[in-house]
Amino acid sequence: MHTAYDILKLASRRAPDRLALVDDLSPRAFTFAQLIAELDTVAAGLAARGVGRGTRVATVLNNCLEHALVLMALQRLGAVPALLNFRLTPPDIAKLIQHGGLEGAVIPANADLAAAVKAALPAGAPLLAVGDGPRRAVDGAETFAACRGDARTLPPAPKPAPEDPGFIFYTSGTTGLPKGAIVPHRAAEPRVLWIATQAGLRHGGHNRTLAFMPMSHCIGFYGVVLVTWAMDGTVYLQTQFNPVDAVKRIEANKISYLFAVPTLLHAVTQAPNYRAEAMQSLRLVNFGGGAMPPELFEHMQANWPGCTLRHIYGTTETMCSGYNPEPRGDALATLGPGYYTVTRVVKLGGGPGDEVAEGEEGELIADAQVDTIFLGYLNRPDATAEKIREGWYFTGDVVRREPGGMWTLMGRVDDMIRSGGENIHPEEIEDTLKTHPGVAESSAIALPDARWGQIAVACIVKKDPAADGAVLAASLDSHCRASALAAFKRPRAYFFVDTLPRNAAAKVLRRILRDQAVRARDAGAANFVAPGEKKAGA
């Protein structure tokens, strides 16, 4: 078994002088040997501040260079990084720190965040702020730049047991405050090696990766940064995703590998400086974490010659539960289990033995005894027991069982709209709405209804912000009636918003949309329109 630190250390022995990490905000760059020396210096500074084996330390950072350094320095000490989404509010971050019993934190230089985190940490716990040197120090936090020590004082890197916690990654949080998924050390190698076995990433210094997926997400850390180092490649950081900069850096640095959600890949192709010629160095692009628009897939397939496209399905808890080695535009949501995975499709609400027949829908479950799987949720035995049952992890994803062990993603169990005794997948509505010329983005949600139990409501971002909502709602209703969408699946109301709220993995936060839509409906707001129904008092 190799830990994440072991994986990096081995690369430094194979290719000490090869470029390992390049910053986007400064001239800083490290070869593998220099990177090991730098993070050992940081590790010595952390050790002097009381961090050691088993210490749980929160990181609340974007893809800055310091984030990569502190994650691997903590691994060097046998400490456990807890990677929190930096987009969360200070109160939510403080709640997670308190709930998780975290014993230190590394945060951006932000006074409000520092105050909230300091109050949540135990007295005397280390709190480090990343900023532009001493000038960015904030009250209650020490500047991260001062966290340095003599690497010669460090003991040998600890050898943890396979089941010892290695990292804590927080779930996307689409249905509430995120849960901390504890990923053991034994998962480090299989969480990177499946990209070789299933996606075809070859070992060697030719690998050049642009890292714009957040490192706080398991794709961003395991699927982008750590796998590149495991393959002796170079990681080019993008601290904050910027599609214009991404196009420039892909071309200038001859980037060969990307792993991203379709939303970010679409943004790259829509950047004003985008040219297909700038993508010619790409050899492998993995996508997952959301629906891939067929037109985007077809564009990449036709205009990025020499680039292999792979659809990957996974969760924070499992990393990779499925893939499609040869995705097609007419079957982009169809996948099957990979090298490390065993899956079943079982009846909704059923157990591991209640498998459905081919052509039927059910919940996708994955063998929870393979090495990629998490241990459970931090201080949440109730949530762990709900998701891991009889040795199987229940993903919460509804799929249709296909021949040959394949399955097609249909939607989330929790997102299912249950109206008048019928089940409606939000994706079915969204697929219909996206063909309307007035729609920039859409998301379908369920709202409570006295007659039907729930009704489908479409949340719409207008292509023309000045378009009249009532007129557009009527047009959308006619569009749905004229489509192949079944009548009972048609949205009963339209909620117009400026943007769709998303988490760090670019997934739409339907929970927030539901809350907003309920308030708008109850207030009789003009941006909540039910075609054919009169407003109260009208």
Side-chain angles (χ1 to χ4, degrees):
M1 181 198 76
H2 291 132
T3 67
Y5 176 79
D6 292 336
I7 289 170
L8 177 58
K9 184 72 172 179
L10 285 170
S12 75
R13 292 174 180 167
R14 291 188 298 263
D17 299 325
R18 185 169 296 148
L19 203 58
L21 188 63
V22 179
D23 189 23
D24 64 333
L25 300 182
S26 75
R28 293 179 297 177
F30 298 95
T31 64
F32 278 101
Q34 291 168 340
L35 181 57
I36 290 291
E38 180 67 13
L39 68 89
D40 279 359
T41 299
V42 174
L46 291 168
R49 289 157 177 80
V51 177
R53 184 169 181 171
T55 307
R56 295 194 294 264
V57 178
T59 64
V60 192
L61 299 169
N62 55 18
N63 275 16
C64 60
L65 180 76
E66 290 80 4
H67 200 182
L69 290 175
V70 75
L71 289 176
M72 300 311 294
L74 289 168
Q75 285 284 287
R76 167 64 179 84
L77 296 171
V80 184
L83 296 85
L84 276 65
N85 181 358
F86 65 92
R87 294 189 179 95
L88 293 173
T89 64
D92 281 349
I93 289 168
K95 287 177 188 175
L96 291 173
I97 287 174
Q98 264 187 327
H99 179 267
L102 306 186
E103 303 157 281
V106 185
I107 64 172
N110 176 285
D112 291 340
L113 180 58
V117 170
K118 188 174 181 63
L121 287 170
L127 175 58
L128 302 169
V130 173
D132 185 17
R135 291 174 297 168
R136 292 298 302 276
V138 292
D139 288 344
E142 182 183 9
T143 178
F144 179 80
C147 184
R148 304 179 67 79
D150 185 349
R152 294 171 298 181
T153 65
L154 288 174
K159 295 295 181 186
E163 298 300 304
D164 285 349
F167 291 88
I168 300 167
F169 284 90
Y170 284 80
T171 60
S172 299
T174 56
T175 57
L177 200 64
K179 301 184 294 290
I182 305 170
V183 180
H185 284 289
R186 50 117 164 118
E189 273 189 296
R191 281 192 172 218
V192 300
L193 288 180
W194 68 262
I195 300 179
T197 62
Q198 291 169 226
L201 191 67
R202 296 181 298 108
H203 184 270
H206 61 279
N207 292 298
R208 302 162 73 89
T209 301
L210 182 59
F212 53 66
M213 279 295 289
M215 276 185 270
S216 57
H217 191 280
C218 60
I219 286 179
F221 178 71
Y222 290 109
V224 175
V225 173
L226 191 60
V227 73
T228 303
W229 288 338
M231 299 294 166
D232 293 355
T234 305
V235 173
Y236 292 82
L237 292 175
Q238 189 176 44
T239 301
Q240 292 271 50
F241 176 68
N242 180 304
V244 171
D245 180 62
V247 171
K248 290 178 182 177
R249 300 188 75 209
I250 289 169
E251 183 172 30
N253 297 305
K254 296 182 170 54
I255 297 299
S256 63
Y257 171 59
L258 297 175
F259 193 164
V261 295
T263 302
L264 301 188
L265 293 172
H266 179 263
V268 168
T269 65
Q270 298 304 301
N273 62 333
Y274 170 78
R275 304 167 5 265
E277 292 76 16
M279 307 289 116
Q280 299 309 298
S281 60
L282 291 173
R283 292 295 173 263
L284 175 64
V285 173
N286 288 335
F287 62 88
M292 167 61 75
E295 58 273 17
L296 173 60
F297 177 80
E298 290 163 7
H299 172 85
M300 294 189 298
Q301 195 173 47
N303 294 284
W304 297 2
C307 179
T308 297
L309 304 175
R310 289 282 189 267
H311 183 190
I312 306 298
Y313 163 83
T315 69
T316 301
E317 295 85 351
T318 67
M319 187 63 195
C320 179
S321 297
Y323 81 118
N324 190 333
E326 296 179 347
R328 306 190 318 270
D330 61 345
L332 286 174
T334 299
L335 310 99
Y339 180 76
Y340 288 100
T341 311
V342 178
T343 60
R344 291 179 183 174
V345 183
V346 301
K347 294 178 182 178
L348 298 179
D354 299 321
E355 293 187 75
V356 302
E358 286 184 6
E360 293 183 357
E361 293 184 8
E363 182 174 0
L364 181 69
I365 64 175
D367 185 352
Q369 300 174 73
V370 300
D371 283 345
T372 59
I373 301 288
F374 78 133
L375 294 170
Y377 297 112
L378 181 63
N379 296 335
R380 288 291 307 275
D382 56 331
T384 303
E386 179 184 342
K387 297 296 280 186
I388 298 181
R389 306 199 296 272
E390 300 178 51
W392 291 83
Y393 170 74
F394 285 68
T395 67
D397 283 313
V398 179
V399 302
R400 184 178 63 238
R401 186 177 176 183
E402 308 287 4
M406 305 291 278
W407 28 265
T408 298
L409 289 165
M410 304 301 294
R412 293 285 298 168
V413 173
D414 292 341
D415 289 339
M416 189 86 77
I417 302 166
R418 296 171 176 84
S419 183
E422 300 280 3
N423 290 338
I424 306 168
H425 293 297
E427 291 81 2
E428 296 177 279
I429 297 172
E430 293 159 5
D431 285 344
T432 299
L433 293 173
K434 71 183 180 183
T435 62
H436 189 283
V439 174
E441 289 187 290
S442 70
S443 180
I445 60 173
L447 288 195
D449 182 79
R451 179 181 179 187
W452 300 104
Q454 291 181 333
I455 58 169
V457 174
C459 304
I460 303 292
V461 177
K462 304 173 189 174
K463 192 162 284 186
D464 175 9
D468 182 271
V471 173
L472 181 55
S475 176
L476 289 167
D477 189 54
S478 298
H479 177 77
C480 289
R481 290 176 186 273
S483 74
L485 190 69
F488 72 87
K489 298 178 181 180
R490 180 171 51 87
R492 286 342 193 226
Y494 293 88
F495 177 48
F496 295 99
V497 295
D498 294 332
T499 59
L500 298 179
R502 298 179 184 272
N503 61 23
K507 292 181 181 178
V508 174
L509 296 168
R510 298 185 200 269
R511 166 180 53 87
I512 292 177
L513 281 174
R514 290 187 196 106
D515 292 344
Q516 293 174 345
V518 166
R519 288 196 296 270
R521 180 186 65 178
D522 293 349
N527 63 332
F528 189 95
V529 182
E533 293 185 11
K534 293 183 178 180
K535 289 185 178 291

